[in-house]
Amino acid sequence: MSIDDLHASVSDPLLDTMNFLNEITTRYPQAISFAPGRPYDGFFDVEQVFTHLRRYLRHLEETGCSPGQVRDALFQYGPTAGRIRELIADSLRKDEGIDVPPEAVVVTVGCQEAMLLAVRALHARPQDVLLVADPCYVGIAGAARVLGVETAPVPERDGGFHCDELRAAVLAARARGLRPRACYLVPDHANPRGTTVPLATRRELLDLAAEFDLLILEDSPYRMVSPGPRIPTLKALDRDRRVVHLGSYAKTLFPGARVGYAVADQPVADRAGRTGLLAAELTKIKSMVTVNTSPLSQAVVAGMLLAADGRTAELNTKTSAYYGDTLRATLRRLDACFPPERRDALGVRWTRPEGGFFLALDVPFVADNAALTRSARQFGVIWTPLSYFHPHGGGTHGIRLSTSYLTEHDIAEGISRLARFVEAEAAEASGEGRPLR
């Protein structure tokens, strides 16, 4: 068998990015890694899993379930759309002001499956195209490529998402004979640059979606683990059912459970004229992809939601404070290692998010896999090339830093190592072969 006999996506370099990062981390285990966007391990306790599981079982008993039904809730497949939709809908209403019926929720295997289901369902014809904020989370670009769905970039500029760029992208796609169906973006503390869409832009975006008959795929995994006030989600502002809200409990509750969801309350009329919800159509696809989401994982997540009466923000008071501290510690250390005159001389600058897990640096050299290998081997620090997040090209002189998984001690040492690496690479790029002083 030749690689040419397989789907083109398996030869796409995009699908190798995470494998390469894992390989580098394994090869240089002593390096400090700013690569993984993982929650901090210090907040996890094994006994919590059993506590939350028992809480959910008591909830089932208290709501009238028989012993057999309680047993089935853990051991049997369960409904494809999920067992805990009512609890998720209740939590979204309390946490986010998103008021949808449980029937509009599909419980998925992480947010990645929610993306896959939405992209598959919405792109029915070869000319259908998915617009993506650029840079974007690598998972959405990878899902589109696996499905053979074309994507078109909506470039960020001046530090964030702008609706005039979306308008231009829609018109450009239509001029090529394509039909833009949806636009994917992370409005809050986006991966990879940490940018947040202002409230006025969110309202403008919803108006633009109505004008061009677009759906918005909203992915906001970092809201409940970020300090400070939150801007309303696009879905909370949505009055025209233009937003498909994609969510996950990986960052907020339990990453290993792999429980996510899609909120899809858009009406869909069948050929007989009957109307249902888009969620039901996503469920049909899910039945042929993962069949269902692990009932055991759903049970633990349900117990966590019950513990906080659906208010996940209250469960994340300590975690959001911790992540805010590590983000600020990273920014302070960058300021110390690259004072204004030095950063201007080097051409180094970085984003300054107020929440989330990530920020991005612009550097004066090509930050590719070869540079990453040198960084890990010679300087003991690992990061993510920003080019991974530009599926249409770009980001060659940028790196992403994740601040979530490290202690402040590791951050201080890691940024010092990173600064020495940047100095060395800048000197090499300038032809001097040594750090500038």
Side-chain angles (χ1 to χ4, degrees):
M1 180 187 300
S2 164
I3 193 71
D4 294 328
D5 295 321
L6 303 177
H7 189 267
S9 64
V10 302
S11 301
D12 195 314
L14 179 70
L15 272 65
D16 281 329
T17 55
M18 294 303 105
N19 288 335
F20 182 78
L21 279 178
N22 289 335
E23 177 190 341
I24 288 290
T25 301
T26 302
R27 200 188 314 168
Y28 303 102
Q30 301 308 312
I32 294 175
S33 180
F34 289 92
R38 299 171 60 181
Y40 176 56
D41 279 348
F43 291 113
F44 301 137
D45 178 354
V46 172
E47 285 301 315
Q48 292 175 346
V49 175
F50 304 101
T51 299
H52 297 312
L53 180 59
R54 294 186 187 100
R55 182 179 290 109
Y56 178 59
L57 297 181
R58 287 198 304 272
H59 167 76
L60 293 179
E61 293 170 354
E62 290 166 359
T63 53
C65 290
S66 68
Q69 289 172 322
V70 172
R71 182 185 62 242
D72 285 354
L74 292 183
F75 286 96
Q76 290 294 357
Y77 295 117
T80 298
R83 290 187 179 273
I84 63 171
R85 292 188 295 167
E86 291 82 3
L87 293 174
I88 292 175
D90 177 66
S91 178
L92 288 169
R93 190 160 42 249
K94 292 173 178 175
D95 264 339
E96 299 283 23
I98 296 174
D99 192 2
V100 294
E103 294 75 21
V105 176
V106 182
V107 186
T108 58
V109 181
C111 192
Q112 188 66 30
E113 187 189 19
M115 294 178 201
L116 187 106
L117 298 179
V119 172
R120 177 66 290 158
L122 295 176
H123 294 80
R125 308 171 190 171
Q127 66 267 32
D128 289 349
V129 63
L130 173 68
L131 303 170
V132 293
D134 186 38
C136 69
Y137 169 55
V138 67
I140 189 69
R145 291 188 182 180
V146 166
L147 293 171
V149 171
E150 182 173 350
T151 60
V154 181
E156 283 191 357
R157 61 175 174 81
D158 301 329
F161 183 90
H162 289 262
C163 287
D164 55 353
E165 294 286 357
L166 176 59
R167 179 182 293 275
V170 171
L171 295 176
R174 288 182 174 179
R176 293 169 51 206
L178 301 174
R179 184 177 72 146
R181 292 286 287 128
C183 177
Y184 170 90
L185 78 160
V186 179
D188 301 280
H189 319 300
N191 182 5
R193 295 180 62 84
T195 54
T196 293
V197 178
L199 178 59
T201 304
R202 297 180 190 222
R203 297 188 189 280
E204 184 183 357
L205 174 57
L206 291 171
D207 290 341
L208 195 62
E211 178 184 345
F212 285 118
D213 192 23
L214 285 175
L215 290 178
I216 306 297
L217 303 184
E218 177 184 34
D219 181 10
S220 288
Y222 310 108
R223 289 172 57 83
M224 296 299 156
V225 289
S226 297
R230 295 185 298 272
I231 301 174
T233 64
L234 288 166
K235 189 61 184 172
L237 299 169
D238 182 20
R239 298 295 177 265
D240 198 25
R241 298 189 184 185
R242 287 285 164 190
V243 179
V244 176
H245 185 78
L246 309 174
S248 170
Y249 293 112
K251 304 297 188 292
T252 56
L253 298 182
F254 187 178
R258 303 300 302 134
V259 173
Y261 54 86
V263 177
D265 61 343
Q266 291 72 25
V268 177
D270 66 15
R271 294 184 181 90
R274 296 182 296 264
T275 300
L277 296 179
L278 178 59
E281 310 309 315
L282 301 185
T283 300
K284 293 176 185 177
I285 301 173
K286 178 179 171 62
S287 72
M288 296 296 167
V289 177
T290 59
V291 183
N292 73 331
T293 302
S294 164
L296 195 56
S297 291
Q298 289 186 72
V300 176
V301 167
M304 300 179 85
L305 292 175
L306 289 165
D309 190 30
R311 294 173 171 84
T312 60
E314 294 181 7
L315 284 176
N316 283 280
T317 302
K318 291 182 179 179
T319 54
S320 60
Y322 180 87
Y323 296 133
D325 288 343
T326 57
L327 179 58
R328 287 187 292 270
T330 305
L331 293 171
R332 285 195 303 269
R333 192 62 179 168
L334 285 169
D335 284 332
C337 291
F338 297 104
E341 291 182 3
R342 190 69 199 132
R343 77 184 70 148
D344 290 343
L346 290 169
V348 174
R349 60 180 181 177
W350 53 86
T351 56
R352 294 183 176 273
E354 295 182 352
F357 287 7
F358 309 106
L359 58 90
L361 277 74
D362 296 329
V363 294
F365 53 86
V366 175
D368 56 9
N369 286 353
L372 174 56
T373 301
R374 290 192 298 273
S375 178
R377 183 179 65 244
Q378 299 173 24
F379 295 87
V381 62
I382 297 172
W383 37 267
T384 307
L386 202 62
S387 58
Y388 288 5
F389 306 91
H390 289 268
H392 302 89
T396 54
H397 288 68
I399 68 177
R400 187 197 76 171
L401 299 180
S402 172
T403 66
S404 62
Y405 190 61
L406 299 173
T407 64
E408 291 192 26
H409 176 271
D410 286 338
I411 286 170
E413 174 61 24
I415 295 298
S416 295
R417 296 180 187 184
L418 179 68
R420 292 193 290 272
F421 165 71
V422 171
E423 291 275 5
E425 290 289 307
E428 186 69 26
S430 70
E432 293 187 23
R434 57 179 175 81
L436 299 171
R437 297 295 180 195

